[in-house]
Amino acid sequence: MNKVQIIHGPCSLESYQQMDQIIHELLPISNVFRCGIYKPRTNFDSFQGLKKEGLQIIHDLKIKYPQVKFCVEITEISQLKEIEDIDIIQIGARNMQNYELLIAVGKTDKQILLKRGFGSTVSELLSSANYIKAQGNSDIILCERGIRTFSDVGRFTLDLAAVGFLQEQTEYPIFVDPSHAGGEVLEVTRLTKAAVAYGVDGLIIEVHPNPSQALSDSEQQLPIEEYKQLIAKINS
Amino acid sequence: MNKVQIIHGPCSLESYQQMDQIIHELLPISNVFRCGIYKPRTNFDSFQGLKKEGLQIIHDLKIKYPQVKFCVEITEISQLKEIEDIDIIQIGARNMQNYELLIAVGKTDKQILLKRGFGSTVSELLSSANYIKAQGNSDIILCERGIRTFSDVGRFTLDLAAVGFLQEQTEYPIFVDPSHAGGEVLEVTRLTKAAVAYGVDGLIIEVHPNPSQALSDSEQQLPIEEYKQLIAKINS
Amino acid sequence: MNKVQIIHGPCSLESYQQMDQIIHELLPISNVFRCGIYKPRTNFDSFQGLKKEGLQIIHDLKIKYPQVKFCVEITEISQLKEIEDIDIIQIGARNMQNYELLIAVGKTDKQILLKRGFGSTVSELLSSANYIKAQGNSDIILCERGIRTFSDVGRFTLDLAAVGFLQEQTEYPIFVDPSHAGGEVLEVTRLTKAAVAYGVDGLIIEVHPNPSQALSDSEQQLPIEEYKQLIAKINS
Amino acid sequence: MNKVQIIHGPCSLESYQQMDQIIHELLPISNVFRCGIYKPRTNFDSFQGLKKEGLQIIHDLKIKYPQVKFCVEITEISQLKEIEDIDIIQIGARNMQNYELLIAVGKTDKQILLKRGFGSTVSELLSSANYIKAQGNSDIILCERGIRTFSDVGRFTLDLAAVGFLQEQTEYPIFVDPSHAGGEVLEVTRLTKAAVAYGVDGLIIEVHPNPSQALSDSEQQLPIEEYKQLIAKINS
C-alpha cells in the first residue's frame, strides 16, 4: 500500500447514488473522501452545492460505510453547527485569511485541511495555521494547490518548493491538490506523479464517475478508471 | 475643491480622543472617514481592533459630527447586526472571495467598498461585485490596493491599469488605496499623486495624528501635516 | 518648460520624411528623439528595422537639425561601429542581461539608456548598470517599462515603486517608458500623467504621425496632436 | 538504462583535472556533459569562466574521450568561431530573446539547447525557437528552468505545466534544469525526481566533485555520490 495519504472524491456531492458509487469503487485505495456541499464559486450563478441536503446524504452514507471519513469545505462559521458527521474541515484557498473562520475551526476538535491562497506566501499560510493552533487545535494539514503567476500555460503554477519548505519547517502533513493546479485531466495526472515523486505527504484529488456530466469543474475531475490506473502507477 | 473623493483616517480606531482629533483636523478635506474596529491581521497576536468598544465611540462621534460618514471593514456576517452607525462597509482584500459575506452585505442598503484581493484578477473582482449586486445592492465602490508580484521593491505593486479598465467597463466609482500598496510614508505620497494624475475616482488613505505610536501599520500612515500638504498639492 | 526630460519619437524609423515631420513638429517640446533602426521583435518575420539605411537617414537629419540628439537601441556589439551619429544608446529590456553588450557599451563615451527587463528585479537592473559603469562609463539612464505579473489587464504592470527606490539609491536619472507598459493610446496617456506626478526624472515615449500605418507597435504610439495635448497638460 | 536523456557536469569548467574526474565518474550515466566556459554572471566581478583556456581543455578531453559530447553556453556571436569542439550550444535564460545570437546559432549545424527566460512566457520561448528554425536549424532542445513569481520559498518556481504544453505542441525534446530552479542540493534532488515523474524528455543538471570549492553556484551543484544515488533512484 502506498505511503502517500489520499483524500479523493468529486468536486461536488451531487446525489446519494453518485457518492455511493464513488465510495464503492475507491474504498480499496483510501477511506478518506472529499466532496463539496457548500461550494464557493467565482460566479454567483454557478452551482453552489447541495448544502443541508448534502449533509443528510453524508449522514446516510456514514451508516452504510462506518469506516469512511469525509472531508468537506466550509465557508461560513454558521455551517459549523451542521457538520457533526464531517471528519475533516477544509478551509479553501479563498478563505485562507478569513481569520474569523480560522478561529472558529480552531475551537473544534476536527482535523483541518488548510489550503494556501493562490496569492499568498508560504509565510502567510503558516500565520493562518497559527490562528487555528492558537485556539488549541493543532490537527492541521497544509495544502499547496498552485499559485498565480504570469505563465501562459496551466491553470495555476504548482509551487512544489513550498512543500519541501513546509515539511522542513513544520510538523504538519503537507498535501498537494493537483486537480486545481492542473485544471485538466492529463495535466492533473502528470502533476500527481510529480508531486508524489517530489515527496508530498498526501494528495487531495478530484475523481468523478462521469466528469462530463459533473455540476462543477468538469474538466479537472479524473474518471474513475483513469484515476485507478494513476494510483496503480504511483504505487508500482 | 478637489474632484477626487477621499476616505481618510487611521488604520485602527484607538480611542475617542484619537478619532475626535482626526475628524477635527481633516473634516475640511472630506467628511468620509475610515477606521478599523475589526482588524484582520496576518498574525493572530497582533492588535485585533476595539470591536464593540469602537462601535460605541463611533456612535458618540456621530452625535458630535452628524455630517461625518464612517467606512469600517467587517470580517464576519455576525458583525452586520452591530454596525448600524456605519455608513460604508469595507470588504478587505483577504475577504474579496468570502462569498457568504458578499451575499450578506448585498442584502443591506449600505454602500460597499470592495477591495481587490492581492492575488486576484480584475475579472474575479468583478465576479465578486456581482455577488453583491445580485442581492439587490449596487451601491459599490471598487478599490485597487496593489498586487503580489516578483518585484523586490515596494510592498505591493499598484496595478493602475486595473483602474482604467474598471472605469471603462463598469459604472462603479474606482478607488485606489495608496497606503497598503506603498507601505511607507514617502512612497504613499508618491503613489497618491500618481493615482490622482492617472484619473482615479477616489482615494482611501491612512492618516494618523502620531503614526509612530499607532497600534497597527505605523509605517504607512501619514502624519496629519504631511497629509494636508499632500492634499494641497493634489488640489493645486 | 517642463522639468521632466523627454525622449520622444516613433517606434521604428520608417523614412526620412516620417522622421523629418516628427522632428519638425516635436522639436519645441524636446530635442532628444528615439527611433528604432535595429528592431528586436518577438516574431522573426516582423519588421526588423531599416538598419544601415536608417543610419544614413539619421546622418542626413543631423545635418538639417544639428541640435537634435538621437537615442537608438542596439542589439549586437557589431552595430557599435556603425552608430557614430547616435548620441544615446538604448539597451532594451530583452538585452538587460546581455553582459557582453553591456561591457561593450561601457567602453564607449555615449550615454546609455538601460531598460529593466520585464522579468528582472531592481537589484538585477543595478547589477547590469554596474557592468557598464565598471568599464568607465557612468553616463547611464535607468528606465522602468513595466513587469510581468498575473494581472489580466494592461500589457505590463508599471512598477512605479522601482522609480522611487532607484532615485533614492542611485545618482542616475530614472525614466519611465509608458508606451510599452500601457500598450494602447489611452492607457499610455494615463500612465504618462501618473509617472510624471509620481516624480520620474524623464520619459521615453512613442509618437508617430500616423500610428495606424506604423510598421511596428501601431497601437501604442501616440498621434502627434494627442501627444502635444498630453505634454501641455503635464506642463500646466 | 534510463529513458530520460541527461546532460550533466559542473556549473563552470575549472580545470582539466576537474572535468577529467567528472567525466570518468559520470560517463556510465550519460556521455553528454555541460560545463560553463563563458559565464554570464549577474555581478560583473564574479568568475566569468576560463574562456579560450577552457576551450583548449575541452579539445584535449575530446581526444581522451572521443565518445563524449559537450554542451556549452555562449553569450556572444564572436564566440561561435571558437567552439568547433562543442557539440551542443546552450542559449541561457538571459539571452532567450537575444535575437542576433539566435539567428547566428540558427546558421550553424550544431544542436541548440534554448532555455526559457525566467520572465518569459511559453509563447515567447516558441517564438525564439522559431528564430533559430527559420535559419534552417531545427535541432533544438527547449528547457524549462523556473520562472519569477511572488513565492517566498525556492529560487525560481519550476513551471512543470510548460513541459507538458511544449511536448504536446512541438516536436522538440523538452528538458528541465532542476539546478537553477532549486538553488540548493536537497531541493534540486526533489525537483529532479518530480520532473522525471512528470514525464520530461531530459534533464540538464549540475554536478561537481567538490561543490563547496566551486568557482560559481556552489550551493546548487550536486556532489558526485549524491548525484549517483539520485540517478539510481530515478532508474529504479
PDB file of all heavy atoms in Angstrom, chain B residues 140-163:
ATOM      1  N   ILE B 140     -21.781  50.262  -4.919  1.00  0.00           N
ATOM      2  CA  ILE B 140     -20.487  49.598  -4.700  1.00  0.00           C
ATOM      3  C   ILE B 140     -19.351  50.508  -5.155  1.00  0.00           C
ATOM      4  O   ILE B 140     -19.445  51.168  -6.187  1.00  0.00           O
ATOM      5  CB  ILE B 140     -20.435  48.266  -5.503  1.00  0.00           C
ATOM      6  CG1 ILE B 140     -21.568  47.331  -5.063  1.00  0.00           C
ATOM      7  CG2 ILE B 140     -19.069  47.590  -5.360  1.00  0.00           C
ATOM      8  CD1 ILE B 140     -21.729  46.106  -5.958  1.00  0.00           C
ATOM      9  N   ILE B 141     -18.296  50.553  -4.360  1.00  0.00           N
ATOM     10  CA  ILE B 141     -17.027  51.168  -4.760  1.00  0.00           C
ATOM     11  C   ILE B 141     -16.022  50.029  -4.935  1.00  0.00           C
ATOM     12  O   ILE B 141     -15.910  49.166  -4.058  1.00  0.00           O
ATOM     13  CB  ILE B 141     -16.496  52.117  -3.659  1.00  0.00           C
ATOM     14  CG1 ILE B 141     -17.422  53.307  -3.463  1.00  0.00           C
ATOM     15  CG2 ILE B 141     -15.065  52.569  -3.973  1.00  0.00           C
ATOM     16  CD1 ILE B 141     -17.113  54.119  -2.192  1.00  0.00           C
ATOM     17  N   LEU B 142     -15.284  50.013  -6.049  1.00  0.00           N
ATOM     18  CA  LEU B 142     -14.212  49.023  -6.227  1.00  0.00           C
ATOM     19  C   LEU B 142     -12.881  49.685  -5.928  1.00  0.00           C
ATOM     20  O   LEU B 142     -12.675  50.863  -6.261  1.00  0.00           O
ATOM     21  CB  LEU B 142     -14.221  48.473  -7.654  1.00  0.00           C
ATOM     22  CG  LEU B 142     -15.499  47.747  -8.071  1.00  0.00           C
ATOM     23  CD1 LEU B 142     -15.370  47.261  -9.513  1.00  0.00           C
ATOM     24  CD2 LEU B 142     -15.786  46.575  -7.141  1.00  0.00           C
ATOM     25  N   CYS B 143     -11.974  48.948  -5.319  1.00  0.00           N
ATOM     26  CA  CYS B 143     -10.715  49.555  -4.868  1.00  0.00           C
ATOM     27  C   CYS B 143      -9.495  48.692  -5.203  1.00  0.00           C
ATOM     28  O   CYS B 143      -9.403  47.542  -4.779  1.00  0.00           O
ATOM     29  CB  CYS B 143     -10.784  49.796  -3.353  1.00  0.00           C
ATOM     30  SG  CYS B 143      -9.299  50.576  -2.690  1.00  0.00           S
ATOM     31  N   GLU B 144      -8.586  49.282  -5.977  1.00  0.00           N
ATOM     32  CA  GLU B 144      -7.297  48.655  -6.278  1.00  0.00           C
ATOM     33  C   GLU B 144      -6.327  49.014  -5.159  1.00  0.00           C
ATOM     34  O   GLU B 144      -6.180  50.190  -4.802  1.00  0.00           O
ATOM     35  CB  GLU B 144      -6.783  49.170  -7.623  1.00  0.00           C
ATOM     36  CG  GLU B 144      -5.298  48.998  -7.886  1.00  0.00           C
ATOM     37  CD  GLU B 144      -4.849  47.547  -7.977  1.00  0.00           C
ATOM     38  OE1 GLU B 144      -5.654  46.679  -8.317  1.00  0.00           O
ATOM     39  OE2 GLU B 144      -3.653  47.287  -7.688  1.00  0.00           O
ATOM     40  N   ARG B 145      -5.613  48.008  -4.618  1.00  0.00           N
ATOM     41  CA  ARG B 145      -4.723  48.262  -3.470  1.00  0.00           C
ATOM     42  C   ARG B 145      -3.361  47.599  -3.632  1.00  0.00           C
ATOM     43  O   ARG B 145      -2.627  47.452  -2.664  1.00  0.00           O
ATOM     44  CB  ARG B 145      -5.389  47.855  -2.167  1.00  0.00           C
ATOM     45  CG  ARG B 145      -6.073  46.529  -2.151  1.00  0.00           C
ATOM     46  CD  ARG B 145      -5.160  45.374  -2.002  1.00  0.00           C
ATOM     47  NE  ARG B 145      -4.719  45.267  -0.639  1.00  0.00           N
ATOM     48  CZ  ARG B 145      -3.520  44.808  -0.308  1.00  0.00           C
ATOM     49  NH1 ARG B 145      -2.678  44.371  -1.260  1.00  0.00           N
ATOM     50  NH2 ARG B 145      -3.153  44.718   0.930  1.00  0.00           N
ATOM     51  N   GLY B 146      -3.018  47.214  -4.878  1.00  0.00           N
ATOM     52  CA  GLY B 146      -1.710  46.607  -5.098  1.00  0.00           C
ATOM     53  C   GLY B 146      -1.809  45.095  -5.165  1.00  0.00           C
ATOM     54  O   GLY B 146      -2.628  44.503  -4.477  1.00  0.00           O
ATOM     55  N   ILE B 147      -0.978  44.505  -5.997  1.00  0.00           N
ATOM     56  CA  ILE B 147      -0.981  43.050  -6.181  1.00  0.00           C
ATOM     57  C   ILE B 147       0.392  42.471  -5.877  1.00  0.00           C
ATOM     58  O   ILE B 147       1.401  43.176  -5.838  1.00  0.00           O
ATOM     59  CB  ILE B 147      -1.416  42.659  -7.614  1.00  0.00           C
ATOM     60  CG1 ILE B 147      -0.497  43.284  -8.686  1.00  0.00           C
ATOM     61  CG2 ILE B 147      -2.867  43.007  -7.863  1.00  0.00           C
ATOM     62  CD1 ILE B 147      -0.744  42.776 -10.097  1.00  0.00           C
ATOM     63  N   ARG B 148       0.399  41.169  -5.684  1.00  0.00           N
ATOM     64  CA  ARG B 148       1.635  40.410  -5.455  1.00  0.00           C
ATOM     65  C   ARG B 148       2.379  40.235  -6.772  1.00  0.00           C
ATOM     66  O   ARG B 148       1.796  39.749  -7.741  1.00  0.00           O
ATOM     67  CB  ARG B 148       1.294  39.010  -4.918  1.00  0.00           C
ATOM     68  CG  ARG B 148       1.018  38.967  -3.455  1.00  0.00           C
ATOM     69  CD  ARG B 148       2.316  38.646  -2.701  1.00  0.00           C
ATOM     70  NE  ARG B 148       2.300  39.144  -1.337  1.00  0.00           N
ATOM     71  CZ  ARG B 148       1.604  38.619  -0.333  1.00  0.00           C
ATOM     72  NH1 ARG B 148       0.878  37.533  -0.531  1.00  0.00           N
ATOM     73  NH2 ARG B 148       1.649  39.141   0.855  1.00  0.00           N
ATOM     74  N   THR B 149       3.645  40.606  -6.789  1.00  0.00           N
ATOM     75  CA  THR B 149       4.477  40.390  -7.963  1.00  0.00           C
ATOM     76  C   THR B 149       5.863  39.953  -7.487  1.00  0.00           C
ATOM     77  O   THR B 149       6.124  39.891  -6.291  1.00  0.00           O
ATOM     78  CB  THR B 149       4.639  41.686  -8.787  1.00  0.00           C
ATOM     79  OG1 THR B 149       5.477  42.605  -8.052  1.00  0.00           O
ATOM     80  CG2 THR B 149       3.293  42.339  -9.071  1.00  0.00           C
ATOM     81  N   PHE B 150       6.751  39.693  -8.437  1.00  0.00           N
ATOM     82  CA  PHE B 150       8.110  39.301  -8.064  1.00  0.00           C
ATOM     83  C   PHE B 150       8.971  40.509  -7.705  1.00  0.00           C
ATOM     84  O   PHE B 150      10.137  40.330  -7.305  1.00  0.00           O
ATOM     85  CB  PHE B 150       8.777  38.505  -9.190  1.00  0.00           C
ATOM     86  CG  PHE B 150       9.078  39.314 -10.416  1.00  0.00           C
ATOM     87  CD1 PHE B 150      10.174  40.150 -10.478  1.00  0.00           C
ATOM     88  CD2 PHE B 150       8.247  39.248 -11.521  1.00  0.00           C
ATOM     89  CE1 PHE B 150      10.444  40.918 -11.598  1.00  0.00           C
ATOM     90  CE2 PHE B 150       8.505  40.006 -12.655  1.00  0.00           C
ATOM     91  CZ  PHE B 150       9.607  40.840 -12.687  1.00  0.00           C
ATOM     92  N   SER B 151       8.452  41.706  -7.847  1.00  0.00           N
ATOM     93  CA  SER B 151       9.294  42.886  -7.646  1.00  0.00           C
ATOM     94  C   SER B 151       9.912  42.898  -6.253  1.00  0.00           C
ATOM     95  O   SER B 151       9.262  42.535  -5.273  1.00  0.00           O
ATOM     96  CB  SER B 151       8.494  44.167  -7.867  1.00  0.00           C
ATOM     97  OG  SER B 151       9.363  45.289  -7.769  1.00  0.00           O
ATOM     98  N   ASP B 152      11.155  43.327  -6.194  1.00  0.00           N
ATOM     99  CA  ASP B 152      11.882  43.354  -4.929  1.00  0.00           C
ATOM    100  C   ASP B 152      11.849  44.728  -4.258  1.00  0.00           C
ATOM    101  O   ASP B 152      12.580  44.954  -3.297  1.00  0.00           O
ATOM    102  CB  ASP B 152      13.336  42.886  -5.129  1.00  0.00           C
ATOM    103  CG  ASP B 152      14.070  43.663  -6.216  1.00  0.00           C
ATOM    104  OD1 ASP B 152      13.397  44.272  -7.064  1.00  0.00           O
ATOM    105  OD2 ASP B 152      15.304  43.655  -6.239  1.00  0.00           O
ATOM    106  N   VAL B 153      11.025  45.631  -4.773  1.00  0.00           N
ATOM    107  CA  VAL B 153      10.866  46.935  -4.125  1.00  0.00           C
ATOM    108  C   VAL B 153       9.387  47.205  -3.905  1.00  0.00           C
ATOM    109  O   VAL B 153       8.532  46.659  -4.591  1.00  0.00           O
ATOM    110  CB  VAL B 153      11.492  48.077  -4.960  1.00  0.00           C
ATOM    111  CG1 VAL B 153      13.003  47.912  -5.052  1.00  0.00           C
ATOM    112  CG2 VAL B 153      10.867  48.143  -6.338  1.00  0.00           C
ATOM    113  N   GLY B 154       9.070  48.083  -2.961  1.00  0.00           N
ATOM    114  CA  GLY B 154       7.677  48.381  -2.640  1.00  0.00           C
ATOM    115  C   GLY B 154       7.050  47.237  -1.866  1.00  0.00           C
ATOM    116  O   GLY B 154       7.658  46.190  -1.645  1.00  0.00           O
ATOM    117  N   ARG B 155       5.799  47.453  -1.423  1.00  0.00           N
ATOM    118  CA  ARG B 155       5.124  46.445  -0.602  1.00  0.00           C
ATOM    119  C   ARG B 155       4.231  45.572  -1.479  1.00  0.00           C
ATOM    120  O   ARG B 155       4.329  44.363  -1.451  1.00  0.00           O
ATOM    121  CB  ARG B 155       4.297  47.162   0.479  1.00  0.00           C
ATOM    122  CG  ARG B 155       3.810  46.256   1.556  1.00  0.00           C
ATOM    123  CD  ARG B 155       3.560  47.059   2.838  1.00  0.00           C
ATOM    124  NE  ARG B 155       2.840  46.264   3.805  1.00  0.00           N
ATOM    125  CZ  ARG B 155       1.558  46.443   4.121  1.00  0.00           C
ATOM    126  NH1 ARG B 155       0.850  47.386   3.544  1.00  0.00           N
ATOM    127  NH2 ARG B 155       0.987  45.659   5.012  1.00  0.00           N
ATOM    128  N   PHE B 156       3.397  46.201  -2.245  1.00  0.00           N
ATOM    129  CA  PHE B 156       2.636  45.542  -3.304  1.00  0.00           C
ATOM    130  C   PHE B 156       2.836  46.400  -4.550  1.00  0.00           C
ATOM    131  O   PHE B 156       3.212  47.566  -4.451  1.00  0.00           O
ATOM    132  CB  PHE B 156       1.148  45.461  -2.935  1.00  0.00           C
ATOM    133  CG  PHE B 156       0.845  44.529  -1.799  1.00  0.00           C
ATOM    134  CD1 PHE B 156       0.818  44.983  -0.496  1.00  0.00           C
ATOM    135  CD2 PHE B 156       0.615  43.182  -2.040  1.00  0.00           C
ATOM    136  CE1 PHE B 156       0.559  44.114   0.560  1.00  0.00           C
ATOM    137  CE2 PHE B 156       0.357  42.317  -0.994  1.00  0.00           C
ATOM    138  CZ  PHE B 156       0.322  42.774   0.306  1.00  0.00           C
ATOM    139  N   THR B 157       2.590  45.842  -5.721  1.00  0.00           N
ATOM    140  CA  THR B 157       2.730  46.616  -6.952  1.00  0.00           C
ATOM    141  C   THR B 157       1.361  47.162  -7.339  1.00  0.00           C
ATOM    142  O   THR B 157       0.438  46.395  -7.614  1.00  0.00           O
ATOM    143  CB  THR B 157       3.308  45.741  -8.077  1.00  0.00           C
ATOM    144  OG1 THR B 157       4.550  45.178  -7.636  1.00  0.00           O
ATOM    145  CG2 THR B 157       3.541  46.555  -9.338  1.00  0.00           C
ATOM    146  N   LEU B 158       1.229  48.491  -7.324  1.00  0.00           N
ATOM    147  CA  LEU B 158      -0.062  49.110  -7.641  1.00  0.00           C
ATOM    148  C   LEU B 158      -0.371  48.904  -9.117  1.00  0.00           C
ATOM    149  O   LEU B 158       0.400  49.301  -9.992  1.00  0.00           O
ATOM    150  CB  LEU B 158      -0.008  50.609  -7.304  1.00  0.00           C
ATOM    151  CG  LEU B 158      -1.341  51.343  -7.376  1.00  0.00           C
ATOM    152  CD1 LEU B 158      -2.307  50.831  -6.317  1.00  0.00           C
ATOM    153  CD2 LEU B 158      -1.139  52.843  -7.194  1.00  0.00           C
ATOM    154  N   ASP B 159      -1.505  48.263  -9.394  1.00  0.00           N
ATOM    155  CA  ASP B 159      -1.865  47.934 -10.778  1.00  0.00           C
ATOM    156  C   ASP B 159      -2.800  49.011 -11.316  1.00  0.00           C
ATOM    157  O   ASP B 159      -4.016  48.832 -11.401  1.00  0.00           O
ATOM    158  CB  ASP B 159      -2.542  46.548 -10.787  1.00  0.00           C
ATOM    159  CG  ASP B 159      -2.840  46.059 -12.189  1.00  0.00           C
ATOM    160  OD1 ASP B 159      -2.307  46.642 -13.163  1.00  0.00           O
ATOM    161  OD2 ASP B 159      -3.602  45.081 -12.319  1.00  0.00           O
ATOM    162  N   LEU B 160      -2.211  50.146 -11.709  1.00  0.00           N
ATOM    163  CA  LEU B 160      -3.031  51.269 -12.167  1.00  0.00           C
ATOM    164  C   LEU B 160      -3.888  50.902 -13.369  1.00  0.00           C
ATOM    165  O   LEU B 160      -4.995  51.410 -13.531  1.00  0.00           O
ATOM    166  CB  LEU B 160      -2.137  52.476 -12.500  1.00  0.00           C
ATOM    167  CG  LEU B 160      -1.612  53.263 -11.293  1.00  0.00           C
ATOM    168  CD1 LEU B 160      -0.634  54.337 -11.741  1.00  0.00           C
ATOM    169  CD2 LEU B 160      -2.772  53.909 -10.528  1.00  0.00           C
ATOM    170  N   ALA B 161      -3.381  49.993 -14.221  1.00  0.00           N
ATOM    171  CA  ALA B 161      -4.156  49.608 -15.404  1.00  0.00           C
ATOM    172  C   ALA B 161      -5.529  49.064 -15.017  1.00  0.00           C
ATOM    173  O   ALA B 161      -6.499  49.177 -15.785  1.00  0.00           O
ATOM    174  CB  ALA B 161      -3.385  48.580 -16.232  1.00  0.00           C
ATOM    175  N   ALA B 162      -5.622  48.462 -13.825  1.00  0.00           N
ATOM    176  CA  ALA B 162      -6.918  47.953 -13.366  1.00  0.00           C
ATOM    177  C   ALA B 162      -7.922  49.077 -13.202  1.00  0.00           C
ATOM    178  O   ALA B 162      -9.117  48.906 -13.476  1.00  0.00           O
ATOM    179  CB  ALA B 162      -6.744  47.204 -12.037  1.00  0.00           C
ATOM    180  N   VAL B 163      -7.442  50.244 -12.767  1.00  0.00           N
ATOM    181  CA  VAL B 163      -8.328  51.387 -12.556  1.00  0.00           C
ATOM    182  C   VAL B 163      -8.958  51.822 -13.881  1.00  0.00           C
ATOM    183  O   VAL B 163     -10.187  51.978 -13.991  1.00  0.00           O
ATOM    184  CB  VAL B 163      -7.559  52.552 -11.899  1.00  0.00           C
ATOM    185  CG1 VAL B 163      -8.437  53.789 -11.788  1.00  0.00           C
ATOM    186  CG2 VAL B 163      -7.015  52.135 -10.540  1.00  0.00           C
TER     187      VAL B 163
END
